[in-house]
Amino acid sequence: MAIEGSERRSVAHIYNSAVAASAISAAWELGALDELKSAGALDVRAFAGAHRLDVTATAGLFRALAAVDIVERVDDKVTPARNFDEAYRTRSFFHWLSRGCGDLFRRMPELLPERNRTGDFYQRDSAAIARACREISSFCYDPWFDEALAGLDFAPGAVADLGCGSGERLLQVLRRHPGARGIGIDVAAPTLEVAAAAADGAGLADRVSFVRADVREMPPRDGFADVELLTCFMMGHDFWPRDRCVRTLRRLRDLFPGTRRFLLGDATRTVGVADRDLPVFTLGFEVAHDLMGTFIPQAADWESVFTEGGWRLRRKHSIDVAVGEVIYELEQL
């Protein structure tokens, strides 16, 4: 009976954690996590009133967080608990999972049969993913991206960001190089709206343009030939499988013939880690892409295609914060 009771508690924790994952995402989006971080406490009724939220539903959100020791509740007072700091640090992972990919996981039974895996057989919330990835990038890539930018032996006059998402990386380059112009390219219209708003808010709208296009298939455009710095982060796995990746790398060289440096940053598939030992985000990221039919290459896979694709590897930045992140500095052969 003791074993049975332990199993019941373990399974209950799995169930409650699934509810809490959505609550973490919602609490971040509504500002509750930030208020708890800055003030150290909040009142449920006051918070609901200030944000015009239903009081009962808001209390339910904090109850879900309390079930997994992210907060403690005493009547209407909520304070951080032992898991709060780590949940706050990784909040964008939960937003990516619950808001960005919620429908993908909800429809898992429909997505496994081969007969259903044709055409546009899944949907994700591109705006939510852009918001989550903006923050994910800030601690999974930015310090190493800054190092790579600082190491450039030229000041780029034009930069293009493939899969620009929220536009933040492109804006980082433009801030560092006041004379540069930028082109952001993404396939999702809602994402480009987020990026355009960010550029406007940063006072950089006059130096950047945005293009809606599939990076793997887009035709040449005015301005592409002037690009000296090409960047691509968190979408390179969409180039794969291997033959298509080689073709895409060759096309990028032809589309952007003036490129002096190509900074390619992406996740790589886990190798040699037991399923039970996977850290936060890794399982969600890899299973989501398995559901979508997107191949996640290992680092060795990436390093096997550069020469064939027309690029020389200058330097590799191994990061491995959450999902085997790496940044490759490439130049044209």
Side-chain angles (χ1 to χ4, degrees), residues 105-124:
F105 285 97
R106 181 186 67 81
R107 296 184 59 242
M108 187 182 288
E110 302 166 44
L111 300 182
L112 268 60
E114 292 182 354
R115 66 179 182 275
N116 295 338
R117 299 176 65 80
T118 59
D120 297 327
F121 64 91
Y122 65 86
Q123 290 185 337
R124 298 196 297 168

Side-chain angles (χ1 to χ4, degrees), residues 4-18:
E4 181 181 348
S6 174
E7 291 170 347
R8 286 180 177 176
R9 287 192 295 274
S10 295
V11 173
H13 186 72
I14 294 170
Y15 186 95
N16 295 343
S17 296

Side-chain angles (χ1 to χ4, degrees), residues 177-196:
H177 297 283
R181 299 190 62 81
I183 305 171
I185 304 164
D186 205 287
V187 72
T191 295
L192 291 175
E193 292 174 4
V194 172

